[in-house]
Structures are given as structure tokens and as C-alpha cells.
Amino acid sequence: MKLEQIYTGCIAEAAYYIISNGEAAIVDPLRETQPYLDRLERDNITLKYIFETHFHADFVSGHIDLARKTGATIVYGPTTMKTGFDMHVGTDGEIFYVGGIQIKLLHTPGHTMESSCFLISDEAGKEQGLISGDTLFIGDVGRPDLAQHVIADLTQDKLARHLYHSLREKIMPLSNDLIVYPNHGAGSACGKNMSKETTDTLGNQKKTNYALNPNLTEDEFVAAILSGLTTPPQYFPKNVLMNIQGYDSLDTVLQRGHKPYNPSDFEKIAKKTGALILDTRRSEVFAQGFIPNSINIGLESNFASWVGELITDIKQEILIVTEDNSKIDEALIRLSRVGYDHAIGYLDGGFKAWENAGKKIEIIHRITAKQLENLYENENLILIDVRKVSEFQSEHLVNSVNVPLNILKNELLEFPQELSFVIYCLGGYRSMIAASILKQNGFDNFVDVIGGFDKIKKTIIPKTSYVCPSTLL
């Protein structure tokens, strides 16, 4: 038996590839199926099952395309959901055979009602690992407040109580030496306290994971896992529905988006369709020149999740700008991972082509942390920190104001129209996204801090404040 974790850092997602005696199973595959198909061909084995731990919210799974291309059977845990594709609805305790190994379905409702874990036993019958989906993470458990955004009756309290019993009745009795293989790691919005580690022994999780504390009563458990939950990203319920109802083949999505336009045609198609111009270049490059009204979300970081957070219409038509044409497929695939399937083309030759055509460009004005230090004593200086609330509460500049990037669009009316202000995040990625949104909405009275709070801390060392003002001015 071989069990391999395939981890994708940009969305903090883990898929699993399991093989034994010429047969394979894949658990929670990503949208792009070609890497799995290549692996199957290289290993000369047949894909028998595609196991899904639940209907995912934070990404669109590749189960449908993968089943269509391989003939493998899609398996979900017990559920009454009617899907737009053929699948096998597993039962609690059902055993699936792959080569010489056994994969046992454990129904563990709580994150969602169909949530299930898969207990892996090797060819000798020894239990080796638990693929725990979003039921159990390393250091955390799956948040129980997401399903209610799809089915109103599934309140977070109901699901939290289901999760309490699932953990105690299905998972905690298992052997301490089992390896836990979760669906997500740190950075995912599916939990609140996930470790950077992506595997651990179940025994260590019993000792260190707050949710597995055997002394917690049911009410104490519910209070613990519901505290501190942030509002889930707006695209989550939309991805759930795509995973349930079905979606266009990724081949179709790539074909639709892989249309090159010269600068003149690019400009015309943008005006004709109302498409969003999404500039995926690095933040420091974008600042030096960009197409008016474009939004910057750089490919080099959590691109997909920020697309999902900030582009509210999942069917929004999108025109892509990259540093060069070699990045187009990457941009299209990473958009598709979170269900943004309606890219309609790209700027052929990247931004350089626009610049060389003499088209109008805009820039973002930036200052260094040292220049900010010279301004800092000005009591009228307006400082806007676009990091997360938790980051801001941990440490921030005195008199700064927190407007997290994910709610910035909703707060635009509060931004100063006449007075100058300064924006920054931790390292510059998020503040450049914020800067592009501000420019798109007519603001030109601000500067961005190069290197963000990381650089500011090394340059300006005032006392920190833990009071977050409620208004900007």
C-alpha cells in the first residue's frame, strides 16, 4: 500500500492518492484532473474510487471530470442530497476494497451532515491512517456554521452537537498510532486554529487538540468551537452548490478563457462585456503601471481565496492580465478551483503589450517605512491597516484604524474623500489589492507602504494600542 498526501498550499488543501495491487483511490481531488491522470498512467494502475469527505465549500472538487475520464465511482457519505451526477451513497461502516487494502467509511456529521472519514487498513488488515476530511484537522475541527448557508435548518448549534458525538463516538475510540490525514491545513477558512503541520498521530491530537478534550461537556464543546468564528467567505455556499449540482468540464473552462486579445481588442471587449480586468502580476510590478479600472490579485500568494472573497459574482466575466503568456493556464486553473469559470480571454503579451501600444496607464504611489516614520508624528496622519482583525488586535500602530481587506468594499463611503491617508497590510500583497480597489472607485489621495507592517515594525517602534477605533476619522 502507498498513501500519498498531495498538498496545494495556495488553498491549503490536501488530496490523497492511495494505491495497492494495481488499483487506486483518490480522496478530495482538485478541479484539475490531468496531474492525477498522468500519475495513474505512470503507475500503470486503474482508478477504482473517488472518495469525497463532504461537499466542499472552499474549492470546487474534480470528482465529476475525474469520474468521467476514468470510469471510477464517486463515493459520498450518507446524504439525502440529490446530485447532478452519478455517485454511490455510502453507508456508515461500509468497506471498500482497493487492491489488497480496505477503506472503511465512518459517517461523522458535524461540519456538514454528509461529512465522513475514511479509515485505511493495509494489506495485512492493520489500521494505518484516518483520512479525516473537515471533521478533524491538526489542532482543530471543522467549523459547523457553513452548511446553514446552504440549508437554513442546519443551524451551527445543531451541527456542533453532531460533531461532538462524531468525535467522541467514531474517532476518539480509534487507535492512538493512527496517522490523521486532514483535508486542510493552516490558512484555510474551514477552521480557526489549524496547525501548519498537515499530518499527526491521533494519539497526539487527543493530547493537544482542544476539541478532543475528553472532559468537555457537550455544551462546553459547542461554546468552544463556536467562539471566535469569522464570517465565512461569500463564495463558500456557491462552491457547495457547484459540487452538488455539477459544473462545466475544466477543458471547456480553459478553452473559453484561452483567447488572446491585442490591446485594442482587449479594450473593446472589456467595454462591450463589462468584464472585470483582473491583473495577476506581483504587487510591486502592478504598482509601477496598470490598466485603469483593473484589480490586482497576484498569483504569487493566496490568489484563489482572495478572488473568492472579493469578486462577489461567481459568474462574473473576467479578462486576465499576466506578466507574460506563460502564466495564463495557471491563472485559469486557479480561478476554476474556486468556481470562477467565466474568464473570456487575456491580454496577449501581458501588460508590456498594453504599455508598448501607448495605452493609458495608472500607478500606485508608495512610500517606504522610513518615509512613514518621518510622517508619523503628524497627529492628523490617517493610517489604515487592512490586515485581519486578529492581526490588528495582536499588534498595531497607535492611532491606526483597521479596515480588513475582505470588508473594504463595504466601507468605501467611510474613507476620506479629501484628506490624504496611508494604507498597509503585513507585507504588501493585500494592501496592493486594496489600493487597486480604491483606485477603481476613484480614490487617488493615498499611499501604500512598501513592505507593510513587517517593515514598519523594524522602523517605527511606538507603544502598541489594543483599542480599535470604530470610525476612520
Side-chain angles (χ1 to χ4, degrees), residues 276 293-295 362 409 435-443:
L276 173 73
N293 294 317
S294 60
I295 295 296
E362 293 191 5
K409 280 187 175 181
S436 67
I437 293 171
L438 289 167
K439 290 286 282 190
Q440 187 188 51
N441 284 274
F443 289 90

Side-chain angles (χ1 to χ4, degrees), residues 151-449:
I151 302 174
D153 288 343
L154 290 178
T155 66
Q156 60 184 25
D157 183 82
K158 285 182 182 178
L159 284 166
R161 294 181 189 281
H162 277 297
L163 185 56
Y164 176 82
H165 290 284
S166 292
L167 292 168
R168 278 145 184 78
E169 295 165 15
K170 297 291 182 66
I171 292 180
M172 291 173 67
L174 296 173
S175 172
N176 287 340
D177 62 359
L178 278 179
I179 304 298
V180 177
Y181 298 101
N183 185 223
H184 293 294
S188 168
C190 292
K192 62 181 180 179
N193 192 42
M194 281 181 269
S195 168
K196 292 181 180 178
E197 301 300 321
T198 60
T199 63
D200 195 8
T201 64
L202 181 56
N204 193 51
Q205 282 304 292
K206 290 177 185 178
K207 294 177 184 177
T208 60
N209 190 319
Y210 73 99
L212 301 187
N213 180 350
N215 297 319
L216 286 178
T217 66
E218 184 172 327
D219 287 341
E220 288 170 339
F221 173 88
V222 170
I225 68 167
L226 294 185
S227 66
L229 291 176
T230 57
T231 302
Q234 60 83 31
Y235 72 100
F236 271 26
K238 300 169 186 176
N239 277 193
V240 171
L241 291 176
M242 289 181 70
N243 282 318
I244 294 171
Q245 297 169 354
Y247 47 72
D248 287 342
S249 167
L250 181 60
D251 297 335
T252 300
V253 173
L254 294 177
Q255 185 178 22
R256 182 162 54 223
H258 218 289
K259 294 177 181 175
Y261 291 105
N262 63 43
S264 294
D265 288 342
F266 186 90
E267 192 171 30
K268 289 175 185 175
I269 199 75
K271 289 179 180 177
K272 179 180 178 181
T273 63
L276 173 73
I277 301 175
L278 179 61
D279 193 317
T280 64
R281 294 175 298 152
R282 290 170 291 130
S283 54
E284 63 271 20
V285 176
F286 177 85
Q288 296 170 17
F290 58 92
I291 300 171
N293 294 317
S294 60
I295 295 296
N296 175 234
I297 304 179
L299 280 173
E300 79 273 16
S301 189
N302 295 330
F303 171 77
S305 57
W306 279 116
V307 166
E309 284 269 17
L310 299 173
I311 303 177
T312 55
D313 182 2
I314 203 167
K315 295 184 178 180
Q316 168 71 57
E317 291 185 320
I318 294 172
L319 286 165
I320 299 172
V321 178
T322 56
E323 294 197 31
D324 58 62
N325 289 0
S326 68
K327 298 288 187 179
I328 294 301
D329 280 347
E330 181 184 356
L332 290 169
I333 287 172
R334 290 175 70 176
L335 283 168
S336 76
R337 285 176 182 167
V338 286
Y340 288 79
D341 290 355
H342 296 276
I344 58 173
Y346 63 94
L347 180 59
D348 193 14
F351 181 73
K352 276 292 183 186
W354 183 271
E355 201 170 30
N356 292 339
K359 297 288 187 180
K360 182 180 178 181
I361 65 172
E362 293 191 5
I363 63 169
I364 300 295
H365 297 287
R366 310 180 84 195
I367 60 173
T368 65
K370 186 65 178 176
Q371 289 171 312
L372 178 61
E373 183 183 32
N374 296 332
L375 299 171
Y376 188 70
E377 296 305 319
N378 180 350
E379 62 182 20
N380 294 319
L381 183 65
I382 301 172
L383 299 165
I384 300 176
D385 186 327
V386 302
R387 295 176 299 156
K388 293 187 293 187
V389 172
S390 58
E391 294 173 275
F392 185 79
Q393 289 176 339
S394 173
E395 188 177 24
H396 63 261
L397 285 173
V398 173
N399 298 326
S400 61
V401 179
N402 186 214
V403 183
L405 175 59
N406 66 319
I407 65 167
L408 184 142
K409 280 187 175 181
N410 299 329
E411 302 296 324
L412 289 173
L413 292 177
E414 299 296 323
F415 277 77
Q417 299 288 330
E418 307 294 337
L419 301 174
S420 297
F421 59 93
V422 178
I423 64 170
Y424 54 86
C425 63
L426 181 63
Y429 179 83
R430 286 173 288 177
S431 64
M432 192 53 60
I433 299 174
S436 67
I437 293 171
L438 289 167
K439 290 286 282 190
Q440 187 188 51
N441 284 274
F443 289 90
D444 199 31
N445 53 326
F446 67 92
V447 294
D448 172 54
V449 179

